[in-house]
């Protein structure tokens, strides 16, 4: 099975709406109580699935140096999802990495939902 078939098959099994951007990248639209519209992205890189959302983009103007301690402390509250920052441009993101050999449709759905829910929680906390 090639990349697009594998990723598309996994995502189809979750029952979540999604859009394939290319054979290794898909976006799942979300909206919640604290953030009206954002995306959870699933990217397949080699034998790894990366599930993430860009918090800097999702919460424009709400994340700066004064929020870094709070964001790092949130890593203590969630199992699969962790908060990080890119070295190049200081973009803050929620991310979970899962090896292809460990991924199941149920696990992928759980992680996508956790990324979405945590983003929404953080959005509420940073009002």
């Amino acid at each position: 099975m090639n990349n697009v078939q594998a990723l598309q098959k996994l995502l189809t099994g979750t029952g979540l709406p999604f859009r394939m951007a290319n054979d290794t990248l898909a976006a799942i639209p979300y909206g919640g109580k604290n953030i009206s519209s954002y995306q959870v992205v699933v990217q397949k890189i080699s034998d790894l699935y990366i599930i993430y959302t860009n918090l800097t983009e999702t919460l424009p103007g709400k994340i700066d140096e004064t929020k870094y301690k709070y964001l790092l402390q949130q890593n203590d509250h969630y199992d699969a999802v962790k908060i990080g920052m890119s070295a190049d441009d200081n973009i803050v993101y929620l991310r979970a990495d899962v090896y292809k050999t460990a991924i199941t449709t149920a696990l992928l759905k759980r992680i996508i939902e956790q990324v979405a829910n945590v983003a929404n929680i953080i959005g509420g906390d940073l009002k």
Side-chain angles (χ1 to χ4, degrees):
M1 200 174 334
N2 68 25
N3 285 342
V4 69
Q5 291 172 326
L7 181 55
Q8 198 162 19
K9 182 179 178 188
L10 274 170
L11 287 168
T12 299
T14 67
L16 298 169
F18 66 92
R19 180 183 55 80
M20 297 295 298
N22 60 46
D23 62 344
T24 61
L25 186 71
I28 299 96
Y30 267 92
K33 179 180 175 187
N34 301 311
I35 307 170
S36 61
S37 177
Y38 57 107
Q39 292 186 28
V40 175
V41 177
V42 179
Q43 187 170 16
K44 185 176 183 308
I45 299 174
S46 187
D47 63 343
L48 197 64
Y49 285 96
I50 301 170
I51 303 98
Y52 67 94
T53 192
N54 178 331
L55 287 176
T56 302
E57 181 180 279
T58 301
L59 302 167
K62 294 191 177 184
I63 296 177
D64 59 33
E65 297 81 19
T66 66
K67 305 298 189 298
Y68 293 165
K69 181 178 178 183
Y70 158 80
L71 290 166
L72 283 173
Q73 289 170 334
Q74 296 314 296
N75 282 328
D76 230 18
H77 300 289
Y78 305 105
D79 55 1
V81 177
K82 297 301 172 197
I83 299 168
M85 179 189 295
S86 68
D88 297 333
D89 47 14
N90 292 343
I91 290 180
V92 177
Y93 54 86
L94 282 169
R95 175 174 162 166
D97 300 352
V98 183
Y99 284 103
K100 180 174 77 171
T101 55
I103 197 80
T104 64
T105 300
L107 180 60
L108 180 62
K109 182 176 182 177
R110 179 176 172 214
I111 293 170
I112 290 168
E113 289 174 341
Q114 189 176 71
V115 168
N117 290 336
V118 172
N120 197 43
I121 290 165
I122 290 171
D125 287 351
L126 296 182
K127 281 187 175 178

